[in-house]
Amino acid sequence: MTSAPPPSARPDPTAVDPAAASVTPPATAADAPRATYRPDARYVLLLGTMAALPAVSTDIYLPSLPEVAADLGTSATAAQLTMTGMLVGGAVGQLVVGPLSDRFGRRRPVLVGVALHVVTSLLCALVGAIGPLIALRVAQGFFNASATVVAMALIRDRFVGSDASRLMSRLMLVIGVAPLFAPSLGGLIAGQAGWRAVFVALAVFGVALWVLVLVKMPETLPPERRRPGGVRTALAGYAALLRDRHFVALAVMPGLAMAVLMSYVVASPFVLRQGYGLSEQEFAVVFAVNGVGLVLGAQVNAALVRRVAPIRILRVAQVVTVVLTGVLLVVALTGAGGMWGLLVVLWLVLTLVNLAPPNASAVALSRHGAVAGTAAAFIGSLQAGVAGVVSPVSGLLGGDAVAMAVVMFAAAVVGLLVLALATPAFRRGGAWTRL
């Protein structure tokens, strides 16, 4: 997509991004961005397509969940585990891929991971029982993690603070295409050729992404900045991150936001299709409209961070998300407004939920730029892991609209508690009052 930035384009090593100034400034030159690089639309598209691989793998398959359960003779909860399994696999995969990308560079891990995504997609198309399908989805999530981790690390290799948050928000525009079109495309493919053909389509997408990365993705981690070592070095990196309690608190925030989102994603086919009787195509339309909300929220954030520091946006967004998910729970309990009442409040929740991950991630990554791959993996792992653990709870609680709303509200409340109690974000005179 783009060439590596010229050596002359080096930032002032004494400069600190204002959005990170009150947190922890880069301790060494390795912590600072390597160039005053400005991404073009093609670069954003490349990173967004990489980061969207897990979303595409989820959303294109989503409308087929009831058919998968029926065809494989299993329950709705077991079918939902094929979604949860991918999140759990992604959580583990990011912990492995992050240090590898710090050691071997950014290109090799993502090329291997995407190639293995293609293989697992084809194997998913051949399974005859729910158990092997769940196992393969775990593996698919593990390999997909390479694209997500490397996309985040590429951003941190070149940007910090508000610039990083703005670029991450721009990625959401690309990632947001998945809920806009993937369910409709998946429903069309499944309607014509069955749910197994959806995995063949995922394999084709993987091949296209592999070629795109091979040809267009620049290497942003030169050999002199790589971290030699094996498991011991990786564990030492994670231990250092765990000792930074503010980083850990910020790293949990995207996971709790993703738990809100994935609770909706996993439960919605059963809530809307079985609970409210929507057809496959009607569900795809509703999912696409909600996807517009996700994209809109991300783009509003990208505009806001030009004038407002990421931590301030995070503070307000988290409070409003708690209020809206509380309203959603009341609507689900009372039935006020019927399906349309539920959908309107749900759209507002989903519009707000995308404001937390880019801002929390940007501030967290600004603290550990020298190990950007490891730090990105830690954040991504928590994001996928927390969402993977929380999202199936709605199925265990009954899988209806009330169960979905309860889980979404609980995840939002926990997110607010983490931000308020484990960081100085809300404290008078705290370290981030100027951010």
Side-chain angles (χ1 to χ4, degrees):
M1 283 290 172
T2 61
S3 58
S8 60
R10 291 287 187 264
D12 179 357
T14 65
V16 179
D17 186 275
S22 298
V23 186
T24 299
T28 68
D31 280 335
R34 304 305 294 176
T36 53
Y37 172 79
R38 295 298 176 189
D40 60 16
R42 293 177 300 172
Y43 188 69
V44 173
L45 180 62
L46 170 64
L47 296 185
T49 304
M50 290 168 56
L53 182 59
V56 171
S57 299
T58 297
D59 295 336
I60 198 172
Y61 165 74
L62 191 59
S64 300
L65 275 179
E67 284 71 30
V68 170
D71 186 43
L72 298 181
T74 189
S75 65
T77 301
Q80 288 177 342
L81 288 177
T82 62
M83 308 286 289
T84 303
M86 202 179 82
L87 292 173
V88 173
V92 177
Q94 293 189 62
L95 290 176
V96 174
V97 173
L100 290 176
S101 73
D102 284 335
R103 181 181 180 184
F104 296 108
R106 309 307 186 199
R107 283 174 56 85
R108 278 187 283 179
V110 71
L111 287 170
V112 172
V114 173
L116 292 172
H117 157 85
V118 173
V119 174
T120 52
S121 295
L122 293 175
L123 291 175
C124 284
L126 301 175
V127 298
I130 191 64
L133 182 58
I134 293 172
L136 285 168
R137 288 287 277 180
V138 172
Q140 189 172 52
F142 183 95
F143 300 133
N144 285 357
S146 63
T148 305
V149 168
V150 170
M152 288 184 65
L154 286 171
I155 292 173
R156 184 53 188 89
D157 285 342
R158 287 173 165 170
F159 306 97
V160 293
S162 296
D163 287 337
S165 179
R166 186 162 58 251
L167 182 53
M168 288 180 186
S169 294
R170 294 303 184 198
L171 296 190
M172 296 299 173
L173 178 61
V174 181
I175 297 172
V177 171
L180 289 177
F181 298 108
S184 297
L185 178 60
L188 178 64
I189 294 171
Q192 297 295 318
W195 63 267
R196 297 176 189 276
V198 172
F199 287 106
V200 177
L202 278 176
V204 172
F205 178 78
V207 170
L209 177 59
W210 190 91
V211 172
L212 186 64
V213 169
L214 179 68
V215 174
K216 298 294 185 179
M217 195 189 95
E219 178 57 74
T220 59
L221 189 68
E224 63 271 16
R225 292 179 58 207
R226 296 177 188 177
R227 290 170 57 85
V231 174
R232 180 176 297 181
T233 300
L235 293 177
Y238 287 124
L241 296 175
L242 286 169
R243 287 193 293 269
D244 183 352
R245 68 182 184 89
H246 292 163
F247 171 84
V248 173
L250 287 165
V252 170
M253 295 298 298
L256 292 167
M258 182 61 71
V260 174
L261 175 59
M262 289 305 298
S263 296
Y264 152 73
V265 169
V266 171
S268 59
F270 300 97
V271 172
L272 298 177
R273 292 195 59 192
Q274 296 184 354
Y276 288 100
L278 296 186
S279 69
E280 194 172 78
Q281 291 305 313
E282 288 171 338
F283 169 77
V285 170
V286 170
F287 204 78
V289 171
N290 287 334
V292 171
L294 290 170
V295 173
L296 179 62
Q299 298 318 298
V300 167
N301 182 70
L304 282 176
V305 293
R306 294 180 181 274
R307 298 176 178 85
V308 184
I311 195 65
R312 290 183 175 178
I313 299 172
L314 181 60
R315 286 190 301 226
V316 174
Q318 195 62 39
V319 172
V320 177
T321 300
V322 169
V323 172
L324 287 175
T325 52
V327 174
L328 180 69
L329 178 56
V330 171
V331 170
L333 285 168
T334 63
M339 182 184 72
W340 289 108
L342 184 78
L343 290 178
V344 168
V345 181
L346 188 59
W347 189 88
L348 293 173
V349 171
L350 296 175
T351 301
L352 262 292
V353 78
N354 253 350
L355 269 66
N359 291 299
S361 298
V363 178
L365 286 171
S366 70
R367 301 173 69 88
H368 295 281
V371 287
T374 301
F378 190 95
I379 296 171
S381 177
L382 281 178
Q383 185 169 347
V386 171
V389 170
V390 173
S391 59
V393 174
S394 62
L396 298 176
L397 295 178
D400 58 5
V402 173
M404 179 183 72
V406 164
V407 177
M408 294 174 72
F409 177 65
V413 169
V414 173
L416 180 59
L417 291 174
V418 168
L419 187 64
L421 301 178
T423 77
F426 285 100
R427 301 174 195 169
R428 183 178 298 277
W432 299 345
T433 53
R434 297 190 303 277
L435 288 180

